[in-house]
Amino acid sequence: MSAIKTIKAPVFSSWFCLGPYRYLIRTAVLGLVLLSLSRLALVLWQYDRVEQTGLLWQVLLQGVRADIIMMGLLLLVPVLLIPLASVRAMGNLWFQFSYLWCLGALVLLVFMELASPAFILQYDVRPNRLFVEYLKYPKEVLSTLWFGFRLSLVLGIIATVTLAWLIRRVFLLGQCSLKQWSAVKTMGMWALAVLLLLAGIRSTTDHRPANPAIFAITADAMVNSLVLNSAYSVLYAIYNLKHEAHSSEIYGRLPTEQMLKLSLDWPWLKTYQFSNPDYPTVHWQQATVKRAKPLNLVIVLQESMGATFVQSLGGEAVTPELDKLKQQGLWFENLYATGTRSVRGIEAVVAGFPPTPAQSTVKLSNSQQHFTTLASILKAQGYHTQFIYGGEAHFDNMRSFFTGNGMQQIVDQSQMANPVFTGSWGVSDEDLFNTAHQQLTALHQQNQPFFSLIFTSSNHEPFEFPDGRITLHEAPKYTVNNAVKYADWAMGQFFRQAQQSDYWQDTVFLIVADHDNRVYGDSLIPVDKFHIPGLILGPGIQAEKLQMLASQIDLAPTLLSMIGVSSCHTMTGRDFTLDKTSPGRALLQFGDYFALMQGDKLVILKPDGKSVEATYRFRQQKLSISGRAVSQADKNTALALVQLPSYLYREQKNASTALCSPSLPVN
């Protein structure tokens, strides 16, 4: 049966039968209607957030503009090929092609819109680059969807198939003859169609065509994403992948010399000499803690454990083990993650590398070798370096990044025999920590100094963990609070073992989160969801609460001093053993927004090159846009800090092999 067999409905003939445009026009109309209805449904679902902006009608009307751009992009290829329809031998083939193309385009739109609610629940934004990145890991994604979103997945598939069938029925309406238009008529209409299509895609008469930044009309990032449609959001993210090295230029651009000067103009960096012209951030860091023998280093990177969990919830502590441990070491009261992804946390904690609007350097091609990390620094000092992970180490490109940048050993799920529990994301945290304890014990017995990065995964949707370990915080079992409590329990078990082991006296430990669990809120940047716990403990480390504002990129330089390792490196974070008095700062990357936070003041850079000043009230955990114009000096400082990592990556100036001369801190 022909794919374009029609249903007799003469009443539709005049509207539906427009020569070579029959399926294109139907697609344009159906697409615009479907996208508008989807946006309306999402707006009603999130009405409280939308209503607070006072821009309901702008959200809906600007959304139509975004939808026109998307439909123009989808129809561009078939419209450009319309002249083929006037060729007698190509007529039937053209109609078959345009039918299949248009049907596929509408099914894609439907699928993306149906996938949006679950994605918004998880990330508080429409599908974006993360949606594409996760497609590389079908096993983990499908397991998470099946165990954590089974009902949504099944209903989404049913709805997609049903709507695809209905769209096909609409396509076949009308008695349409395959008789060709004349070549003159076809080409005349084609020129007009191309002109209208390109105008719709460009959507502006400004110097640059429209992009998602134009639709950022509110101070709520989630509401801004509702203005778009999900297909456009994902498509633009894919397009931007080729601009990773220059990603920070969406905020503006400073001359390189000015950018470097501002980036290094911080009190804690003034004691260092930056004298290598080929590697402008390379310097000699003299360890402030003198040790007869440098200590081992263990970093416990906790998956999705935001600071909000390190408090009492409903009268019962969710992290009782961490609450005990934080009385024994250096506790960071105001530590902030640089982003909202695990790879962003890895980049900051292990490499001391600031964030950019691009993907994390863990996943970028130019940083897979010769990139400064704690592993590369300590390997050069004779340490055995290892990454221990309960899942599959290839996830998020971790194996490639680590092995190319100093990690000598990767221990993942495949090497953990007889686990007590295996879930969607690998073995349980207790299996992970049991393996880690065995590894550390063996290395210490060999008198081998070591650096071990232990990355947990039990606190990850769908929140699977073994029974009988904890008293559940709430019912049902598989909730984030219960998963956090289990992860905390497993970590507590590990530290009880570690404190009784021989390696304890020779090791400094860091416990830190990669990011919070779900980043959401009605602010341009949800600052409270960047707040994470951080604790350094070990022999000789006194209990202390550090009140100063701190960033994840400050941890690596601080740890190097605490273990007694002096080294040459390119990291620009703050060594808190050297400077505990200067006001701190945090760098926050949230989607396409970048913020420099100093005290309660934030300078937020937007992807349209504009900036806003905001105030963060810590007690209320509320961000308020001040309405004051950002000074050029403040904007330049923020711009320098986000431009620096892009420059270092693009020019490959973050090399672990860069040399510098030992020098003592300036008094």
Side-chain angles (χ1 to χ4, degrees):
M1 181 180 292
S2 172
I4 58 171
K5 182 179 178 181
T6 58
I7 298 171
K8 292 184 178 181
V11 69
F12 293 103
S13 297
S14 60
W15 194 89
F16 278 96
C17 300
L18 294 171
Y21 296 91
R22 68 180 64 164
Y23 299 123
L24 306 184
I25 291 177
R26 298 178 200 190
T27 299
V29 173
L30 286 172
L32 291 174
V33 171
L34 286 169
L35 292 174
S36 291
L37 289 176
S38 175
R39 180 176 297 103
L40 180 60
L42 292 173
V43 165
L44 292 175
W45 174 42
Q46 298 286 343
Y47 184 75
D48 289 343
R49 296 270 293 274
V50 177
E51 194 271 337
Q52 288 176 15
T53 68
L55 297 172
L56 171 61
W57 289 108
Q58 285 194 49
V59 169
L60 296 176
L61 292 176
Q62 287 293 328
V64 174
R65 181 183 176 190
D67 296 343
I68 291 173
I69 294 175
M70 187 65 231
M71 296 313 302
L73 291 170
L74 286 176
L75 295 176
L76 182 60
V77 170
V79 166
L80 291 176
L81 294 177
I82 278 179
L84 295 176
S86 64
V87 179
R88 184 173 302 277
M90 299 288 290
N92 287 335
L93 182 61
W94 158 257
F95 283 107
Q96 293 280 358
F97 164 76
S98 63
Y99 168 81
L100 294 173
W101 179 281
C102 291
L103 181 61
L106 287 175
V107 170
L108 173 65
L109 292 181
V110 168
F111 170 77
M112 292 302 304
E113 292 304 308
L114 290 174
S116 298
F119 197 90
I120 291 171
L121 280 173
Q122 185 71 16
Y123 297 104
D124 204 45
V125 71
R126 274 190 186 268
N128 53 19
R129 184 170 61 197
L130 299 184
F131 191 90
V132 181
E133 290 180 20
Y134 275 130
L135 293 179
K136 301 176 184 176
Y137 312 104
K139 175 181 175 292
E140 289 85 353
V141 171
L142 290 176
S143 294
T144 299
L145 289 174
W146 185 249
F147 291 106
F149 302 91
R150 186 175 305 175
L151 181 60
S152 298
L153 177 63
V154 172
L155 291 178
I157 292 173
I158 293 173
T160 300
V161 172
T162 301
L163 287 171
W165 179 82
L166 290 174
I167 291 169
R168 181 177 181 274
R169 299 292 293 178
V170 172
F171 268 20
L172 299 180
L173 285 173
Q175 278 188 317
C176 295
S177 170
L178 295 183
K179 183 178 179 181
Q180 298 162 301
W181 283 8
S182 68
V184 173
K185 183 177 182 180
T186 297
M187 295 306 295
M189 291 294 294
W190 176 71
L192 178 61
V194 170
L195 181 63
L196 292 175
L197 197 68
L198 294 177
I201 293 172
R202 204 173 195 285
S203 193
T204 178
T205 57
D206 292 339
H207 178 64
R208 295 182 180 275
N211 60 62
I214 289 179
F215 301 105
I217 59 177
T218 81
D220 186 330
M222 191 279 293
V223 176
N224 287 338
S225 77
L226 294 186
V227 180
L228 306 176
N229 55 74
S230 295
Y232 180 43
S233 178
V234 169
L235 187 64
Y236 193 80
I238 295 172
Y239 167 77
N240 260 353
L241 290 177
K242 70 176 184 177
H243 301 296
E244 296 283 12
H246 298 270
S247 60
S248 296
E249 293 182 8
I250 61 175
Y251 307 123
R253 188 176 182 182
L254 295 174
T256 300
E257 185 176 344
Q258 182 184 9
M259 177 271 295
L260 290 172
K261 181 179 179 180
L262 290 173
S263 297
L264 301 177
D265 188 24
W266 294 91
W268 51 87
L269 296 178
K270 292 185 182 299
T271 59
Y272 303 129
Q273 296 177 11
F274 299 93
S275 55
N276 189 328
D278 296 324
Y279 299 96
T281 63
V282 75
H283 61 280
W284 179 263
Q285 180 189 348
Q286 183 72 33
T288 61
V289 181
K290 292 181 169 47
R291 299 189 183 276
K293 178 183 178 182
L295 299 184
N296 307 312
L297 176 61
V298 173
I299 296 178
V300 176
L301 191 63
Q302 285 279 15
E303 170 69 47
S304 304
M305 189 177 285
T308 51
F309 295 116
V310 192
Q311 301 169 7
S312 293
L313 295 177
E316 181 185 357
V318 181
T319 56
E321 299 298 333
L322 184 56
D323 287 345
K324 296 173 190 174
L325 289 170
K326 74 180 186 180
Q327 308 304 322
Q328 305 173 26
L330 177 61
W331 175 254
F332 291 83
E333 286 279 352
N334 287 295
L335 177 64
Y336 284 80
T338 59
T340 60
R341 293 288 316 284
S342 294
V343 283
R344 187 68 79 194
I346 290 171
E347 165 189 78
V349 173
V350 181
F353 200 70
T356 72
Q359 293 186 89
S360 162
T361 52
V362 174
K363 308 185 79 168
L364 297 180
S365 58
N366 285 347
S367 51
Q368 299 308 299
Q369 287 183 312
H370 310 303
F371 197 82
T372 297
T373 66
L374 282 172
S376 66
I377 293 169
L378 295 177
K379 179 184 176 184
Q381 300 269 354
Y383 281 64
H384 177 78
T385 56
Q386 62 178 188
F387 173 53
I388 309 176
Y389 179 53
E392 296 179 355
H394 72 273
F395 184 77
D396 264 347
N397 203 52
M398 294 185 294
R399 179 185 290 275
S400 174
F401 178 78
F402 285 138
T403 56
N405 294 303
M407 285 292 188
Q408 298 162 293
Q409 181 187 12
I410 304 293
V411 182
D412 67 0
Q413 179 181 356
S414 63
Q415 297 161 263
M416 298 183 186
N418 303 315
V420 298
F421 182 86
T422 302
S424 301
W425 289 88
V427 302
S428 67
D429 281 1
E430 63 190 273
D431 293 304
L432 168 74
F433 283 120
N434 287 337
T435 300
H437 177 66
Q438 294 166 9
Q439 290 282 328
L440 304 186
T441 299
L443 289 168
H444 188 266
Q445 289 173 349
Q446 299 165 19
N447 199 31
Q448 171 66 57
F450 55 80
F451 163 50
S452 296
L453 173 65
I454 306 169
F455 187 18
T456 71
S457 59
S458 288
N459 180 30
H460 196 299
E461 206 133 19
F463 307 125
E464 302 163 291
F465 56 91
D467 294 322
R469 300 320 195 255
I470 61 170
T471 301
L472 296 181
H473 177 78
E474 60 196 7
K477 175 185 175 183
Y478 298 113
T479 68
V480 63
N481 287 327
N482 288 332
V484 168
K485 191 173 182 182
Y486 167 74
D488 178 72
W489 173 86
M491 182 190 67
Q493 294 290 105
F494 167 71
F495 275 98
R496 271 187 282 277
Q497 284 184 306
Q499 288 172 338
Q500 296 170 10
S501 69
D502 292 335
Y503 63 76
W504 174 262
Q505 291 302 319
D506 298 317
T507 307
V508 168
F509 297 82
L510 166 67
I511 304 169
V512 66
D514 56 353
H515 57 87
D516 204 340
N517 69 320
R518 287 183 178 176
V519 181
Y520 55 87
D522 58 1
S523 301
L524 199 61
I525 292 184
V527 179
D528 58 308
K529 304 301 289 184
F530 281 76
H531 190 196
I532 57 173
L535 172 67
I536 300 176
L537 68 167
I541 298 177
Q542 302 299 314
E544 181 183 359
K545 289 185 177 180
L546 187 67
Q547 302 289 343
M548 208 67 63
L549 192 64
S551 170
Q552 279 177 322
I553 68 170
D554 300 328
L555 296 172
T558 302
L559 289 169
L560 287 173
S561 264
M562 296 185 83
I563 65 175
V565 169
S566 300
S567 62
C568 178
H569 61 74
T570 58
M571 296 184 290
T572 56
R574 176 181 188 173
D575 176 1
F576 273 100
T577 70
L578 178 65
D579 181 355
K580 286 187 180 179
T581 59
S582 298
R585 56 87 186 90
L587 314 178
L588 315 179
Q589 187 73 49
F590 183 57
D592 287 336
Y593 297 93
F594 173 82
L596 168 61
M597 182 177 180
Q598 298 181 83
D600 63 354
K601 175 183 171 182
L602 285 90
V603 173
I604 303 173
L605 303 181
K606 301 170 68 177
D608 57 3
K610 297 179 181 178
S611 59
V612 296
E613 182 179 302
T615 301
Y616 183 64
R617 292 176 297 207
F618 287 88
R619 289 186 178 277
Q620 294 82 8
Q621 297 184 338
K622 184 71 175 177
L623 183 74
S624 302
I625 304 299
S626 68
R628 296 186 296 272
V630 179
S631 71
Q632 191 61 48
D634 286 346
K635 181 178 180 180
N636 285 349
T637 299
L639 185 56
L641 289 175
V642 74
Q643 187 177 321
L644 175 68
S646 288
Y647 168 78
L648 295 176
Y649 168 78
R650 181 178 67 251
E651 303 297 329
Q652 299 186 52
K653 294 182 178 296
N654 202 60
S656 60
T657 55
L659 299 177
C660 56
S661 301
S663 59
L664 293 174
V666 179
N667 292 325

